[in-house]
Every structure is written in C-alpha cells, then in structure tokens.
Amino acid sequence: MKVLYDYQAFDMQDHGGVSRCFAELYSHRPETLEAEIAVKETDNVYLQALGFPKRGDTYREFMNLEDSKLKHLLFKLSYNIKYSQFSRLDRNPKLNICESVYRLKKGDYDVFHPTFFDGYFLDYIGNRPFVVTIHDMIPELFPNYFPKDDIQILQKKAVIPKATHFIAVSEQTKKDFIAITGTPEDKVSVVYHGADEEPYVPSENVAYDYEYILYIGTRYHYKNFAAFCRDCLPILKRHPDLKVICTGVPFKHEELYFFDAFGVRDRFVHRFADTQQELMDLYHNAVAFVYPSQYEGFGIPILEAYKADCPVLLNDNGCFREIAGDAAVFFRMNGTDSDFEETFETFYHLDSNEKTAMLKKQRRRLKDFSWNQSAQTLKDVYQKLK
C-alpha cells in the first residue's frame, strides 16, 4: 500500500503543530506502509530534519551552473515543461504545488492524504480515496473571532463532503466535528498525536535569577491570553520575584500598553526558543506551564511539558482532561468566571513531596502517547480504505 501526502502544511508552516504532526507520522510509519511527501524543497524544519532539500536548493543545484540569466531561463523552461505550466513561463514555477499535482496525475498511490484543506487536488484525484485530518474546529466554534468567509471554513466546506474518511486528533475534536458537519461517526477515526521520543537532557548553566510561569505559543483571542494576564496581576504583586515568560511572536503594541498601564512591563518577558533544546529548557526551569486556552484540538505543549518535568496547569476546556488525565492541575478561566489565581496559589504552595508526586503522574501519562502507535493506527485506517 502506498500513501501520498501533499505540500500544504509544509508550505504553510516552517514549524508548527500541523506540519509537525504529518512529519512525525511519516517518519514513524510502519515498514509495511510505503509513503511519499510531494515536496521538492522546503523551509519546514521538520522536513529538513528528515533530509528534504532547503528551499532554493533545486535552483542552486540545477545543471551545476553559476547563477545567470541563462540559468534562470533554462530552469524556468525545464520545470514549466515538466509540470505543463507553459502559461507561467514569466514566473518561477511553484515547485511544491506543481510536484503534488504531478504526482496526483501520475497516479502512483493508493490513498491520498492532503495535509490541509485546499481542494486543488479534487480535479486530479479521480476515484481514489482520500483522507482529511481534522486538527480542530476552532473557526466554526468561535464565530466571534472568525468571519464566515474565513478561508479555512470555505475550504472545509468544499472538501469535507467529498472525503472518504477523516482523522480527528482527539475524541473531543471528533465529537465537535460530527456535531458541526453531520458526518457519520463511522467515517471518523481518532489518531492521537505522539510524544517526542528523543531523550531530553537539561542544559547545564541555564539559570534565571527569578522564578517564572511559562506561556507557550500564539496569543490569538481564543487562547485567552488577555484573561490570563489579568489573572496574573495579583499573583505577580504577591510574588515580587515571579515573572511570566512568553514564547512566540514579540509582544504587540496593545499587550505592551496593558503591561505599562498596570506597571508590569518588566514582569512579562518575551523569549525566542530557536531550538527544541531551548524550548525544553524553558519548560524544565519554569515554576509551571500554564495553558489558559478556551479550546484546543489536542495540545502538544502538554506532552512537551510532561517530558521536561514541568508542572502543568490547564484551563478545564476542550480536550485537556482527555489528554492530560489526572496528571495536571485544572483551573477555570471562562469570560468573567475564573479561579486561576486561587488554583495557582494552591499549586505554588505544594510541598516538595506533592510536586514530586505530580511529576511522576506526568511521566506515567506521557507513556500513553507514542508516534509509533499513532502511525500504526493511521496505517490501519488506510488499509481499510484500499
């Protein structure tokens, strides 16, 4: 059996949960499953780690010629001929989408698995089965944050009615997907994300002269970052040596304005984590990782924190109890209703034995998530569709 994955997630992200999921499932696939990713070159760190060429390498290595107008012309001509894109001779070919279409037309696969929702492939797939992964239903569940013509919503509406089968990353996501789309339950299988199996060894000489709460990732509206900041104010006042470290993009103007208005600009610290080691060290040295989001389809940072022996505090929403089990502290942060301050203070004052017991629970829970098992479950789904 042979599965073809396309380019979408890897062109969309140089790193991130969607592309990482597909890269992990591809790299951990059973030996009995043949698979290809239709990507010629990429900026995606996960594919580069698997040996895929960096973006631009295809041109740099073309005919082993120095860069010149002649090389540029020959390169465009060569790839436009290969991909039948003669009308686009005045531009560089979009190699990855062209490669995906090329392989779809070639037909050397049994099951197609697009990595996102663009339905460009519908004109080329014929009668072959295709599988769509549903990572979450956030745009549909939070219409106050997403317009009705959001591109993801529109693409889903075009692709979902024609898909052969669906993969949901949690039971909660499966439940929401079925409720919103009316898809029959037997067409949806749950395949959890796995945990990174590379051993983590904390870096030496990584120390801060302050304690910190860790916030990871984006800060969109449904992530509840503003409410989290408000609830942190009395905590930071009570603990003058405590700060909040945030990863992701730098703070926005309105966030800095909020920090200034309450005199806590020096208490919210932005840190880039350029490597996985740096990210894991941020987890490891934190007082706690706090996930205040109103909803997540899965929540890979939970597993990252477990691996780094970082205590986890979760908003009691979405799939968090499903993923974390009893290996986390849960709080409530919904609109005007929040008990985060009280929950954090109770956690903060746990004695060393209680915190050690919590970390032991996290290590046990982490063992329930394996990319090898996830890839085997996915292979079993493919096998039924052949």
Side-chain angles (χ1 to χ4, degrees), residues 218-236:
T218 58
R219 302 187 294 274
Y220 303 131
H221 293 298
Y222 72 89
K223 296 287 188 176
N224 239 7
F225 182 69
F228 166 68
C229 290
R230 287 193 301 271
D231 283 2
C232 280
L233 294 176
I235 295 172
L236 296 177

Side-chain angles (χ1 to χ4, degrees), residues 152-190:
Q152 187 180 147
I153 293 175
L154 296 179
Q155 288 177 341
K156 283 180 182 176
K157 287 181 177 179
V159 168
I160 285 172
K162 300 177 182 179
T164 311
H165 201 78
F166 301 92
I167 301 299
V169 299
S170 66
E171 292 290 347
Q172 181 67 52
T173 298
K174 175 180 178 178
K175 176 183 175 182
D176 294 335
F177 174 67
I178 291 173
I180 291 170
T181 66
T183 300
E185 186 173 358
D186 61 0
K187 291 188 67 175
V188 188
S189 300
V190 174

Side-chain angles (χ1 to χ4, degrees), residues 93-346:
K94 296 181 179 179
L95 296 184
N96 289 336
I97 185 172
C98 288
E99 183 69 15
S100 288
V101 171
Y102 176 77
R103 296 198 196 186
L104 285 165
K105 288 181 176 179
K106 190 177 179 182
D108 184 23
Y109 61 92
D110 298 298
V111 177
F112 178 57
H113 197 152
T115 57
F116 214 59
F117 303 114
D118 186 343
Y120 74 94
F121 58 86
L122 294 173
D123 292 334
Y124 311 105
I125 196 170
N127 294 322
R128 283 185 173 82
F130 74 93
V131 176
V132 173
T133 295
I134 307 298
H135 296 272
D136 59 61
M137 297 299 289
I138 289 171
E140 293 83 1
L141 288 168
F142 295 92
N144 50 323
Y145 298 146
F146 295 87
K148 292 181 179 180
D149 60 349
D150 178 82
I151 185 63
Q152 187 180 147
I153 293 175
L154 296 179
Q155 288 177 341
K156 283 180 182 176
K157 287 181 177 179
V159 168
I160 285 172
K162 300 177 182 179
T164 311
H165 201 78
F166 301 92
I167 301 299
V169 299
S170 66
E171 292 290 347
Q172 181 67 52
T173 298
K174 175 180 178 178
K175 176 183 175 182
D176 294 335
F177 174 67
I178 291 173
I180 291 170
T181 66
T183 300
E185 186 173 358
D186 61 0
K187 291 188 67 175
V188 188
S189 300
V190 174
V191 178
Y192 287 125
H193 293 322
D196 184 0
E197 290 144 3
E198 288 294 320
Y200 166 64
V201 179
S203 299
E204 296 181 3
N205 303 319
V206 176
Y208 295 85
D209 58 0
Y210 55 84
E211 294 183 314
Y212 64 89
I213 299 168
L214 183 62
Y215 179 96
I216 294 290
T218 58
R219 302 187 294 274
Y220 303 131
H221 293 298
Y222 72 89
K223 296 287 188 176
N224 239 7
F225 182 69
F228 166 68
C229 290
R230 287 193 301 271
D231 283 2
C232 280
L233 294 176
I235 295 172
L236 296 177
K237 184 177 181 180
R238 194 176 294 116
H239 303 283
D241 293 328
L242 184 65
K243 297 188 179 184
V244 178
I245 289 184
C246 302
T247 63
V249 299
F251 293 129
K252 299 176 183 177
H253 174 76
E254 56 268 28
E255 292 169 336
L256 294 174
Y257 180 83
F258 174 89
F259 302 153
D260 286 336
F262 288 94
V264 292
R265 185 162 183 166
D266 63 330
R267 311 289 297 279
F268 284 83
V269 180
H270 178 265
R271 287 280 185 272
F272 283 114
D274 294 324
T275 66
Q276 189 67 15
Q277 182 70 31
E278 291 176 7
L279 178 64
M280 296 301 289
D281 287 340
L282 280 174
Y283 280 116
H284 182 71
N285 291 286
V287 170
F289 161 61
V290 177
Y291 214 162
S293 181
Q294 296 179 53
Y295 180 94
E296 295 294 331
F298 182 87
I300 285 180
I302 298 171
L303 304 187
E304 292 175 334
Y306 283 180
K307 180 179 176 180
D309 270 348
C310 174
V312 173
L313 277 64
L314 301 173
N315 194 4
D316 197 358
N317 277 323
C319 68
F320 283 164
R321 284 194 180 268
E322 177 186 348
I323 305 306
D326 66 347
V329 174
F330 291 91
F331 58 88
R332 184 180 65 256
M333 187 184 293
N334 299 305
T336 58
D337 183 22
S338 174
D339 65 357
F340 174 70
E341 180 187 350
E342 297 87 343
T343 302
F344 178 83
E345 290 294 345
T346 300

